[in-house]
Amino acid sequence: MATLDRRAFLRTTGMAGLALGLAACGDSGTSGAGGSGFGAVKIQLSWKKNVEFAGEYFADSKGYYKAAGFSQVELLSGGGSGTSVESGLTTGRCWIGLSTPTITAPAVLQGAPLKIVGATFQKNPFAIVSLGKNPIKDPKDLAGKKIGVQDSNELVWNALLKSNGIDPSSVTRVPFQSDPSMLTSGQLDGYVGFVTSGPVRLKMQGVDAAHMLFADHGLPLVAETFTVTQETIDKERDKLKAFLTAEIKGWRDAVADPAKAAELAAKTYGKDQNLDVAEQTEEAKMQNELVVTPDAKANGLFTMTSELIEQNIASLAKAGLTVKAENLFDLSILDEIYKADASLKLS
């Protein structure tokens, strides 16, 4: 079960000592045993293997990676110490990783030559979770409320208040350690959590829950972002295109079949996580709303419009991270993929 601690917008642990020397990723540039031109690569996931990575499971299990020219794509589980995508990329532990702008931006500002080349979640999953009988639907509803906020989420919480002109003194912030019973027992009016898990778990317990997405109220940030080194973009562009094409196909399948996505997560790839298939199915349905937006349907999965990029840059600034768009994002690879094959877009 994911904890809110790992979901913090600003995770700086280990970033101060981020290694800047690049190393070749193991087997990433060699030909595979089966004659696959791109050999084997490793992708660092942002968390433990649950339904968040359904597209990767489909791409692997249905052979999209192999069809794209990879002899193997190893999915490295996240969530533990030493699994930072950014440090993994700069030290060569992985070839590509799934991260978030609020983690990648600090690394870039410290000199790491990294770029975000696509975004699985067009909207970040952070939300204020509340009860249906006392819903918090708008930032103005926060006044006079008791809200559970973990210390690790303080920066994004403050950014939400700032973005909406909410006086921090008008809201009672309560120390929180991801225990939803504090909400159901009335100790809290709401808490900062992931929309893909918190409301779903409450629903599975028979509790009517409501949520307010940060992305819809002043903090439009993407999440589960494909992150690579600049060297990969410059020297392995065709390889990166092949990989992202396989990912697009995998995520098209995941979006179309939440039940199968949950089954792959619970029974195969995350079978050691004791995941519940029914709960994972509901989470898959919920995350589809973050993956498939009108822009994603029009332009293709993982793409970001120039407007969305600028909104992300503005949101990062509100969290104290001032970075230029061209230093953090490069969506040109996806543009080339969809121009070459428009049929990859959602129908």
Side-chain angles (χ1 to χ4, degrees):
M1 182 180 292
T3 64
L4 296 182
D5 182 67
R6 88 94 179 174
R7 312 291 197 175
F9 266 14
L10 249 311
R11 185 175 64 196
T12 57
T13 304
M15 297 309 295
L18 187 66
L20 299 182
L22 293 175
C25 210
D27 297 330
S28 63
T30 58
S31 186
S36 301
F38 298 128
V41 296
K42 297 178 181 180
I43 176 172
Q44 177 65 63
L45 306 180
S46 62
W47 187 238
K48 298 174 184 178
K49 294 177 181 178
N50 60 20
V51 80
E52 272 182 68
F53 312 107
E56 284 69 47
Y57 306 153
F58 274 100
D60 182 54
S61 63
K62 298 192 76 169
Y64 297 145
Y65 290 138
K66 288 193 175 180
F70 296 91
S71 60
Q72 180 188 19
V73 173
E74 184 177 353
L75 308 179
L76 303 178
S77 182
S81 60
T83 61
S84 161
V85 167
E86 287 71 19
S87 65
L89 288 168
T90 56
T91 60
R93 188 182 67 247
C94 61
W95 178 70
I96 192 168
L98 290 169
S99 189
T100 181
T102 48
I103 298 176
T104 305
V108 170
L109 290 170
Q110 291 177 23
L114 305 176
K115 287 283 176 65
I116 291 170
V117 295
T120 308
F121 287 6
Q122 299 290 292
K123 293 183 176 182
N124 72 79
F126 262 83
I128 298 294
V129 180
S130 58
L131 297 179
K133 62 183 180 182
N134 184 29
I136 296 172
K137 297 181 177 181
D138 189 270
K140 69 179 187 307
D141 297 335
L142 290 169
K145 297 293 197 299
K146 295 175 293 185
I147 306 298
V149 183
Q150 284 191 313
D151 289 343
S152 54
N153 293 329
E154 181 178 5
L155 288 175
V156 68
W157 165 248
N158 290 335
L160 176 72
L161 297 180
K162 180 179 180 181
S163 297
N164 292 280
I166 305 296
D167 183 352
S169 66
S170 69
V171 188
T172 300
R173 176 185 166 182
V174 179
F176 185 63
Q177 295 299 326
S178 73
D179 180 7
S181 69
M182 292 182 68
L183 177 64
T184 55
S185 67
Q187 298 176 66
L188 298 173
D189 295 304
Y191 68 84
V192 177
F194 255 29
V195 70
T196 49
S197 55
V200 170
R201 288 175 189 148
L202 288 169
K203 178 183 176 181
M204 300 297 288
Q205 296 169 15
V207 178
D208 181 27
H211 64 269
M212 182 194 79
L213 275 178
F214 284 25
D216 290 338
H217 295 89
L219 285 180
L221 286 159
V222 291
E224 297 299 359
T225 43
F226 292 100
T227 307
V228 298
T229 65
Q230 184 63 50
E231 184 177 19
T232 292
I233 295 173
D234 295 340
K235 298 183 178 180
E236 298 180 298
R237 198 172 187 88
D238 288 343
K239 182 176 175 179
L240 185 54
K241 284 184 183 179
F243 181 85
L244 289 175
T245 299
E247 286 279 346
I248 291 168
K249 293 177 180 179
W251 271 102
R252 285 197 314 182
D253 289 352
V255 165
D257 196 346
K260 181 62 177 179
E263 184 180 324
L264 285 171
K267 296 184 177 181
T268 303
Y269 293 90
K271 60 183 178 181
D272 60 337
Q273 300 297 313
N274 297 316
L275 301 171
D276 179 78
V277 174
E279 182 177 305
Q280 291 288 290
T281 300
E282 292 304 311
E283 290 193 18
K285 293 176 182 178
M286 184 71 81
Q287 77 180 13
N288 277 354
E289 297 180 17
L290 307 178
V291 173
V292 183
T293 62
D295 282 339
K297 289 190 72 172
N299 304 317
L301 292 174
F302 313 155
T303 59
M304 294 178 66
T305 63
S306 57
E307 291 81 8
L308 182 56
I309 289 175
E310 288 306 319
Q311 289 170 0
N312 272 255
I313 294 299
S315 293
L316 289 170
K318 292 172 185 175
L321 297 168
T322 302
V323 62
K324 293 181 178 179
E326 59 268 27
N327 292 336
L328 186 61
F329 296 101
D330 185 345
L331 278 294
S332 63
I333 298 94
L334 281 173
D335 289 342
E336 292 172 15
I337 289 173
Y338 285 113
K339 283 181 182 177
D341 188 359
S343 70
L344 289 170
K345 295 180 180 180
L346 293 169
S347 57

